[in-house]
Each structure stands twice: as C-alpha cells, then as structure tokens.
Amino acid sequence: MAKKSRSRVVKPGYLYIVTSPTYPEWTKVGLSIDPKKRLGGYNCHTPMKDFTLYYEVYRKNGRLDEEKTLEFLQKIYPTSGQEWFRGDKEEVKKAIIEFLLIGENND
C-alpha cells in the first residue's frame, strides 16, 4: 500500500526556526499551531533551557509548505534527521523566505 503524503491535508500553522547557543551550528525548522508553546517542549528536555524561537511565519497550508521547505533545505544543508540543519540560522531563514516567495509567485 502506498504511503499517503501528509501534505494532502490542509493544515494551517507557523513554519518556525528554533536555535540554541548550546548547538550554534544547528538550526531546527518545523511547523506548529503555537510555536511558543512548542518551544516550551524543547526547553523541557534540556537543563540549560536555552532554546529560542528565532523566526516564525504563518502559512495557510503549513503542512504542505513545511514538507516542501524541508525537502528544499535538505538539498542545501547537511541534516541530522529531517528537521535539523547544520547551517547559520540567518542563512537558513533567508533560504526559507526566498523559497516561500518563489512558491507564491508560481501559484
């Protein structure tokens, strides 16, 4: 049986970037309805509680945008899993913004 793409279901939300000075070379990109609440989840699992919300942008079809953005970033940055990228947070942010703008101009 073929795996169903999560992106077929329209789910609004915020694409976000989370960073930590403990892992300065890593940038986390994800999707959440409430990024600030999601941030609390990261800080719950680290003694330093130093994760910060670096960037967030609301998307009407957040699930699809997240899926496509992660695929795009995986072609540019080394990754340790699907959502953690070894790259400067500002450069990752610029790549996301440019990618989303290109997508909107092609719709």
Side-chain angles (χ1 to χ4, degrees):
M1 180 175 230
K3 185 179 174 184
K4 251 180 140 174
S5 173
R6 293 179 357 159
S7 64
R8 295 193 189 277
V9 177
V10 174
K11 178 184 175 187
Y14 291 86
L15 271 175
Y16 65 84
I17 293 176
V18 168
T19 62
S20 166
T22 304
Y23 310 102
E25 70 278 6
W26 290 99
T27 301
K28 164 69 168 89
V29 178
L31 178 73
S32 178
I33 294 295
D34 187 345
K36 290 175 182 70
K37 185 176 179 181
R38 182 72 180 105
L39 178 65
Y42 291 107
N43 283 322
C44 182
H45 299 287
T46 177
M48 303 307 286
K49 306 216 181 304
D50 61 356
F51 282 94
T52 59
L53 184 62
Y54 179 70
Y55 173 71
E56 63 182 285
V57 60
Y58 181 78
R59 306 300 295 173
K60 289 180 192 171
N61 194 346
R63 183 170 281 172
L64 177 63
D65 288 344
E66 178 197 31
E67 186 176 293
K68 289 182 175 184
T69 299
L70 293 175
E71 288 173 6
F72 171 74
L73 293 173
Q74 288 169 5
K75 295 175 185 174
I76 302 172
Y77 298 100
T79 182
S80 110
Q82 189 174 346
E83 298 180 343
W84 287 91
F85 299 94
R86 186 181 295 266
D88 175 75
K89 62 187 178 185
E90 186 60 29
E91 293 301 317
V92 173
K93 176 184 168 184
K94 286 179 187 176
I96 291 171
I97 291 169
E98 289 175 15
F99 178 74
L100 293 175
L101 285 174
I102 290 168
E104 287 175 355
N105 290 331
N106 290 331
D107 286 344

